[in-house]
Amino acid sequence: MRKHDADVIIAGAGMAGTTLALALASGGVKPLLVDPQPFDAQLAPTFDGRSSAIAYSSFRQWRAIGAGEALAPHAQRIEQILVTDGKAPGAASGKPSPFFLRFDSGEIADRSEGEPLGYLIENRQIRAALSKVAIEKGLEVIAPAGATGLEVDASEARVTLSDGRVLSAPLAVSAEGRNSALRKAAGIGDIGWGYGQSGVVATVKMQHPHEGVAHEYFLPSGPFAILPLTENRASLVWTESTARGEALRHASPEAFHAHLMRRFGDFLGQVEMAGPVFVYPLSLSLAERLVAPRLALIGDAAHGVHPIAGQGLNLGLKDAAALAEVVVEAIRNGEDIGAEATLERYARWRRFDNVTNALAFDGFVRLFSNDNPLLRVARGVGMAAVNRIAPARRFFMHEAGGGVGDLPKLLRGSPLL
């Protein structure tokens, strides 16, 4: 039997896949990353215009695996989140709604060890920092070369790459995203649906300080979020119908800015565009299973969710933390890391959380992306009730920060070894 190329082959060197590789390496496991894109391409400003809300538990994981220092300069603390049920035509119009919700990091400082509600980081900066740490730690990366096929037997998984090479390991992991080739090769189907919506994403520079406050307005077409970034910038996530999203993609800079200001308002002063406009279709996708013989799914390969709650990447980082812990413990106990019993421990750990969160986000979309007067009253009353009940507010803040439930060691900030 030939020698394996690695302990774990990870297809997809994006944010979840590289986090998993660093987590495994921190536990003494040898990972090998493969990706169809060169690392340099992932770092270009035009590759991914999105920013991610990072739960404080997810940032603890990055600190625990040695990536916290590289990420810290790009991480904007979220000190407050203000949620408002806005009215047409936009967040800046009309009188303020009586229905709002305010979260403040000071309320949970005693239990979160002074952590903020979360952090906002541009995806390209996350990719750059993680790849820098991966290179510094000597992780093996093969790119550009995507995974195209998978074969398994009693002792190994064999991953075929786009350049014809075949790599072997006891375990393969798909972190390839929603169109996972390895998931398809393993015969794992997925279920889901589109929302008829697109996320219009842009970065802006503001005149007045944002002071670490995130704003989210629920408008009839979908949420409009103003998310604070470093250097007094903000990431705008503007949900529109697919047709309007395409119109905004092709609008002139002057027309786009005029539409933007109708929603943004002037409470943060003059707003200037600080990058290109990106438009992403929004949909739900759930893999029917998280594991197959000698294969595990993490991140968007396992679950692609609507960004309404800003938790998509955090779910993938939870996957990485849980799988890394299961693999390290299996090796410590002399078990086969690709065996069905080992992988089922990972699947049991993550299945319920992934499904319930995906369905909850789907429910939020249907509840908040409409102008039904009865639903508007119901959601307004619910928001006002939560805002008045301090224990409920604190629970939602801890939940969003990833501080509740059966957390893997890395999400508690503890090393695997």
Side-chain angles (χ1 to χ4, degrees), residues 82-85 97-102 380 382-388:
L82 302 180
V83 183
T84 306
D85 196 10
S97 169
F99 301 131
F100 67 92
L101 187 54
R102 175 182 175 182
M383 288 167 58
V386 171
N387 199 54
R388 289 176 177 271

Side-chain angles (χ1 to χ4, degrees), residues 43-84:
L43 311 186
T46 53
F47 184 80
D48 188 343
R50 292 167 292 187
S51 299
S52 292
I54 304 300
Y56 61 76
S57 61
S58 297
F59 208 91
R60 285 175 179 171
Q61 174 176 213
W62 282 336
R63 291 191 190 107
I65 61 177
E69 185 176 347
L71 284 157
H74 310 290
Q76 170 62 52
R77 289 172 61 99
I78 305 173
E79 302 295 359
Q80 292 183 19
I81 301 175
L82 302 180
V83 183
T84 306

